[in-house]
Amino acid sequence: MATDVVELILADHRRFEELFRSLRDRESDRSTVLAELAALLVAHAEAEEAEVYPALKRYKEVDNHEVDHGAEEHAEGHQALLALMEVGDTLSEEWESRLEELVQALNHHVDEEERTILNDARQQVPDARRDELGRLFAEIRQDRLDDNCGDIAYVRKIAAATEDRID
């Protein structure tokens, strides 16, 4: 199993894309897929913010503004996730609209994070430190998943707590 934090984050990003494809499929079990996405998205963001982002800010070659902006985009993602989770009918136009808002917010964040933060980390952070951060990221991410962080009550709580981060 990979332990490089960049590779672990990229693997989650690819999983988000797979889950979005399933969520767009009207024949899929959208509620089950959304539950998986919610848990992974929250666990991923919280693990990045707990260990990865603070560590990367210590490297002068890593753009601190981009790291802070990444946290703002996590907050936007939580808001969009909650809006989707609160729509009851997974076949409704409102659900489709909220899904596209979440997809756009997350794709924007993933694109920026990969082009800036993760490229900087790959180039500036030594392999051993990326492995250490990867182990911490994976541990926190799993702890959050084990705590059912994708539950709508928890998503409401973090969405409310991060409202002030959104520009």
Side-chain angles (χ1 to χ4, degrees):
M1 179 176 157
T3 56
D4 182 314
V5 71
V6 173
E7 296 308 316
L8 293 173
I9 291 170
L10 290 173
D12 278 359
H13 290 177
R14 301 300 75 84
R15 182 66 184 144
F16 296 149
E17 292 165 357
E18 292 169 9
L19 292 169
F20 283 147
R21 280 191 290 279
S22 291
L23 286 170
R24 284 178 165 147
D25 179 358
R26 290 178 151 268
E27 302 300 315
S28 72
D29 181 352
R30 287 175 155 181
S31 296
T32 299
V33 176
L34 180 57
E36 181 182 345
L37 175 68
L40 183 59
L41 186 57
V42 170
H44 174 95
E46 289 191 340
E48 281 185 338
E49 290 182 33
E51 289 293 336
V52 180
Y53 283 7
L56 293 180
K57 287 179 82 168
R58 293 187 202 107
Y59 288 87
K60 65 180 179 182
E61 296 85 2
V62 175
D63 188 335
N64 285 351
H65 170 75
E66 288 298 333
V67 174
D68 291 338
H69 184 63
E72 291 170 12
E73 290 179 343
H74 286 167
E76 292 169 1
H78 296 324
Q79 296 288 331
L81 174 63
L82 178 60
L84 178 60
M85 292 175 81
E86 289 182 331
V87 177
D89 182 1
T90 62
L91 297 176
S92 69
E93 287 303 316
E94 180 183 9
W95 199 90
E96 298 282 347
S97 175
R98 298 287 184 190
L99 172 61
E100 289 312 309
E101 289 170 11
L102 176 59
V103 168
Q104 287 180 5
L106 198 59
N107 283 345
H108 171 81
H109 169 69
V110 164
D111 177 59
E112 279 191 356
E113 186 176 68
E114 289 181 6
R115 284 185 297 106
T116 60
I117 299 168
L118 296 182
N119 275 341
D120 287 350
R122 186 178 280 128
Q123 294 171 6
Q124 304 301 328
V125 179
D127 293 351
R129 181 64 173 137
R130 287 199 321 268
D131 284 345
E132 179 184 354
L133 286 172
R135 285 189 296 277
L136 291 168
F137 171 82
E139 180 181 307
I140 292 168
R141 183 178 161 277
Q142 189 59 54
D143 286 346
R144 301 305 307 127
L145 289 169
D146 292 345
D147 288 342
N148 196 25
C149 66
D151 177 74
I152 193 166
Y154 188 77
V155 175
R156 281 187 183 116
K157 179 179 158 186
I158 61 171
T162 59
E163 277 182 348
D164 62 331
R165 282 199 226 160
I166 300 172
D167 286 340

